[in-house]
Amino acid sequence: MAIIHKANLSPTKLEIIADYLPTQPWFIQDGTPELIGAYRFDDPAGEVGLETHVVAAGERIYQVPLSYRGHELGGAEEWLIGTMDHSVLGKRWVYDACADPVYVKALATAILTGQEEAALLVEGEPEARPSSVTVKGSGTLDGGVPDLSASAPVSGSGVTIINAGELRLKVTRVLDVAADASATTAAAPELHHELILSGQWAGLEKPVELAAVIRD
């Protein structure tokens, strides 16, 4: 479960994303970025915020995973997007989550075990708030995920590839909302990436593929 504080942020998440997107090779400048929704994974240690944003810009829809930390992540200066002042938690360092080992572990766990997004418990509210983006992994693994090692993500052609030791992950940056992720899952034996994370939000008729375990 992700704990959400009622707080003021400066700059806002969307402002940080709007500055970040034009620096990425998979982004095509076309209109002002607008937030469609977001989903979170839980950090079992409760230290790192893991939030992935789905953003529209022009006719394209992008996926932007971010990690929020109370301290700098060593060796990840290249992946630091910016800092924000959080009125409850103080200064937060915001990273491209594809370079954050806590996110990589959470993503792999979701894909391999069939996990869904984290429930959102907003401070002061008695019940969990529904996520604006719902996700689910296609795997059924019961024994946990293999040991993962951190490595620099590589982006290009609308995706980011993460070589994480025993697993190779693909995070889709430019989302193909016309494709049906459930159909992709059904055809899995014929594909290189048979285990996926699919997602859906209001107005989207069929789930879209968000990430995958690549099997070469």
Side-chain angles (χ1 to χ4, degrees), residues 42-197:
D42 181 45
D43 170 21
E47 295 294 328
V48 182
L50 303 173
E51 186 174 33
T52 298
H53 300 267
V54 177
V55 179
E59 297 183 355
R60 296 174 178 82
I61 297 178
Y62 300 92
Q63 181 177 209
V64 185
L66 301 178
S67 66
Y68 311 118
R69 288 177 166 265
H71 303 279
E72 293 181 79
L73 175 61
E77 294 82 4
E78 181 181 353
W79 312 105
L80 177 66
I81 294 174
T83 59
M84 64 168 58
D85 292 321
H86 190 291
S87 61
V88 176
L89 300 176
K91 186 174 182 179
R92 305 292 282 172
W93 280 258
V94 183
Y95 290 90
D96 178 340
C98 291
D100 193 315
V102 176
Y103 168 78
V104 173
K105 177 76 170 182
L107 176 62
T109 300
I111 295 174
L112 294 174
T113 67
Q115 182 177 298
E116 299 179 349
E117 75 281 356
L120 305 178
L121 184 60
V122 180
E123 188 179 36
E125 296 184 4
E127 297 183 357
R129 182 180 295 181
S131 178
S132 54
V133 176
T134 58
V135 303
K136 183 171 178 56
S138 64
T140 58
L141 182 66
D142 293 327
V145 302
D147 291 334
L148 303 178
S149 60
S151 65
V154 178
S155 294
S157 301
V159 302
T160 294
I161 303 298
I162 307 169
N163 289 311
E166 296 185 40
L167 289 180
R168 192 164 177 243
L169 302 172
K170 180 191 76 172
V171 176
T172 304
R173 298 294 201 161
V174 184
L175 300 178
D176 184 1
V177 296
D180 183 355
S182 59
T184 298
T185 304
E190 301 174 5
L191 300 178
H192 291 300
H193 48 275
E194 61 189 59
L195 297 179
I196 71 169
L197 182 76

